[in-house]
Amino acid sequence: MISRRNFALLAVGIGLTLSVPANAADLELLQPGKLQVATQGTFAPFSMRGPDGALDGLEIRVVKEIARRLKLEYTPVITQFDAALVGLLAGQYDMTSISMDITAARQKQVTFADGWLASGAMILTRKGTGIRTGDDLKGKNVGAVAASTFGKIAEQNGATLKSYKAEVDAVQDLVNDNLDAVITDAVAANYAIKARKLPLVTGEGTLSQVQKGFAIQKGKPNLTRAINGALADMIADGTYAKLTSDLIGFDPHPKEPIRSEL
């Protein structure tokens, strides 16, 4: 008979996830019973404020459900995107839910839970600019969130980059004719047009294919496995699809998620 320990090692080896009991001592949390999570609160539809002022959005819903399943108190910590990893490495919170692409460079700094959302970079512009593809960005004034992969894409395509603390400010400058385009997340771009009824259009397709990940300090394998287990369970029982589809109209879970490097 295979032991529980050997089964766990086998499961990790073949890419499976196991739920870990939400015991504060086992989960390597900063504060027992609390899951402290960095988020922006200003990047719809990932994190935003509802009519009552409460936090809502894709990442908020998913991580709240993860915390509930682990019997932990979800505790949001508001921060800017460009400060999220700095704060994580300084031990200011347990994880980030902030809409962050999983990249090789970031994987050297932190551990990502299994990819939870598939998306890509997309051009957002006004009607009549003629900007449809990456080639059209050359020489244009393009906005993007500071420290994001979007700014690098703009510069790689020959654009003059203007960095912003919050995506909402970049979009407002675009609406006000202070920018030629904004590069942002594809889910966010389409949501901005449909839900906020902005007078903008998207480019043709995406400029990249990415997966979003929840970042965790290296050296916390139990917390990572617990998050992966809760995420896998909510995907399997349909909760993930219900929570996300209700907001954006489709299930954005990756068909082949990037797995944690433990």
Side-chain angles (χ1 to χ4, degrees):
M1 179 181 294
I2 187 170
S3 69
R4 180 177 177 81
R5 179 179 180 277
N6 287 338
F7 178 76
L9 292 174
L10 176 62
V12 171
I14 62 176
L16 298 177
T17 56
L18 293 175
S19 297
V20 177
N23 182 294
D26 291 339
L27 291 186
E28 306 136 342
L29 297 170
L30 296 174
Q31 190 172 344
K34 288 188 175 183
L35 184 62
Q36 300 180 61
V37 186
T39 187
Q40 281 182 282
T42 57
F43 189 32
F46 292 93
S47 61
M48 54 193 177
R49 298 286 181 178
D52 60 353
L55 281 170
D56 191 18
L58 295 170
E59 68 186 67
I60 306 298
R61 294 181 180 189
V62 170
V63 177
K64 272 188 174 181
E65 179 63 15
I66 288 173
R68 187 190 70 79
R69 290 177 184 235
L70 296 178
K71 297 180 173 59
L72 300 173
E73 177 187 341
Y74 169 75
T75 307
V77 180
I78 303 300
T79 188
Q80 298 294 339
F81 184 91
D82 59 352
L85 288 186
V86 174
L88 180 67
L89 296 174
Q92 295 176 7
Y93 26 82
D94 297 301
M95 61 180 285
T96 73
S97 68
I98 212 158
S99 174
M100 186 174 291
D101 298 350
I102 300 174
T103 66
R106 289 173 179 153
Q107 285 175 315
K108 293 178 181 179
Q109 294 181 282
V110 298
T111 297
F112 282 100
D114 293 345
W116 72 277
L117 183 141
S119 190
M122 180 167 278
I123 295 171
L124 197 58
T125 188
R126 295 181 308 282
K127 294 179 180 179
T129 64
I131 300 174
R132 303 299 297 162
T133 68
D135 292 339
D136 299 325
L137 296 174
K138 187 173 182 179
K140 304 297 185 182
N141 294 315
V142 177
V145 172
S148 70
T149 57
F150 306 136
K152 293 180 181 179
I153 291 173
E155 292 179 323
Q156 289 168 355
N157 282 279
T160 298
L161 175 66
K162 183 176 181 180
S163 296
Y164 291 81
K165 290 287 187 180
E167 188 257 3
V168 65
D169 295 328
V171 173
Q172 190 58 55
D173 260 2
L174 177 61
V175 171
N176 293 341
D177 204 17
N178 295 322
L179 291 172
D180 297 308
V182 166
I183 296 181
T184 187
D185 177 83
V187 174
N190 284 291
Y191 183 86
I193 293 172
K194 294 177 182 178
R196 296 167 58 190
K197 301 186 183 341
L198 295 178
L200 302 173
V201 294
T202 60
E204 296 175 358
T206 57
L207 302 177
S208 66
Q209 295 293 319
V210 301
Q211 290 186 27
K212 306 292 184 183
F214 303 133
I216 305 158
Q217 268 195 334
K218 286 184 178 291
K220 295 190 175 184
N222 289 343
L223 178 58
T224 304
R225 291 191 184 103
I227 291 168
N228 286 343
L231 179 61
D233 288 346
M234 62 188 289
I235 291 166
D237 66 22
T239 303
Y240 175 98
K242 182 178 179 180
L243 291 174
T244 55
S245 299
D246 181 58
L247 186 60
I248 60 174
F250 65 96
D251 179 348
H253 184 256
K255 292 181 179 179
E256 297 182 3
I258 297 172
R259 299 298 180 184
S260 299
E261 294 183 351
L262 297 174

